Amino acid sequence: MTTASPALIDRVPIIEDTLDAFRGAIAGDLTAYRGHVYRVFNFCRALAPGVPDGDDKIALAGAFHDLSLWSDHTVDYLSPSARRLRAHLERDGRLAWSAELERMVLWHHKLTPYRGEDATLVEAFRQADLVDLSFGWVGFGLPAAFVREVQAAFPAVGFHRRVMQLVGAWAVTHPLRPFPMMRL
């Protein structure tokens, strides 16, 4: 199955505002994380077109999904990232979105397809993150030209290497639970 690709979006106020609020925590990794968020955002939009409020939901989940790697200094970051997202939604008056967006964050490293509640957007988000983490080798039907366009617009600038450094340092100090973010 080939998925049609939408026009690339290179600036989303929700993403910019969220990342700006955490600029101090993300520090030197801000450009790398920003690129990852935009790559996932664009891939997810292409994988789940036409979802009501989809762009805003994807932008919020994208901005928060790995955030606690930096804000909470932990590789066990899924729950803290989901809590930060929920607090943001509550302040923003969008608490009705909380369950769906928290699932997007909590299940984005699931090793098998997500088939639970809100599966359309949760699974598309999981796939989009994997498209980025695999450098596009896993494409889920996205046109290769679109993947390359997104990658060119938002270069990785060391994102994958930095995540591996953080995970590697964690694994050394937590040998019994080296990859706490992975889900079955």
Side-chain angles (χ1 to χ4, degrees):
M1 176 183 104
T2 301
T3 305
S5 52
L8 181 139
I9 294 179
D10 63 359
R11 184 158 175 24
V12 180
I14 290 171
I15 293 172
E16 296 300 327
D17 292 347
T18 302
L19 296 182
D20 191 50
F22 289 94
R23 176 179 301 277
I26 304 169
D29 295 325
L30 182 61
T31 301
Y33 184 53
R34 180 183 182 275
H36 173 61
V37 170
Y38 274 99
R39 289 187 303 273
V40 170
F41 172 81
N42 279 284
F43 296 149
C44 190
R45 290 181 73 244
L47 290 163
V51 172
D53 299 309
D55 283 3
D56 285 352
K57 289 178 177 181
I58 296 165
L60 284 163
F64 281 92
H65 79 286
D66 292 338
L67 185 62
S68 288
L69 262 169
W70 293 275
S71 63
D72 293 68
H73 310 286
T74 182
V75 171
D76 195 3
Y77 59 86
L78 297 179
S79 292
S81 292
R83 283 192 299 273
R84 286 186 180 279
L85 173 56
R86 181 181 183 81
H88 175 85
L89 292 169
E90 189 169 1
R91 285 190 305 273
D92 202 33
R94 296 182 185 193
L95 197 55
W97 291 358
S98 184
E100 181 178 25
L101 272 60
E102 286 180 73
R103 279 190 272 283
M104 291 169 71
V105 170
L106 292 171
W107 293 106
H108 81 272
H109 285 304
K110 189 173 185 323
L111 297 174
T112 58
Y114 177 86
R115 303 200 191 287
E117 195 170 349
D118 301 312
T120 298
L121 206 47
V122 176
E123 176 60 9
F125 193 76
R126 184 192 76 82
Q127 291 176 355
D129 191 66
L130 187 54
V131 171
D132 188 52
L133 290 179
S134 72
F135 298 96
W137 286 100
V138 178
F140 295 104
L142 290 175
F146 177 69
V147 172
R148 286 191 302 272
E149 177 187 13
V150 172
Q151 291 169 328
F154 304 101
V157 293
F159 175 77
H160 301 85
R161 183 178 55 250
R162 181 64 175 137
V163 169
M164 293 311 299
Q165 288 171 340
L166 294 169
V167 170
W170 172 277
V172 168
T173 58
H174 299 81
L176 299 178
R177 198 163 175 247
F179 305 107
M181 79 297 275
M182 302 310 289
R183 303 285 191 254
L184 292 176

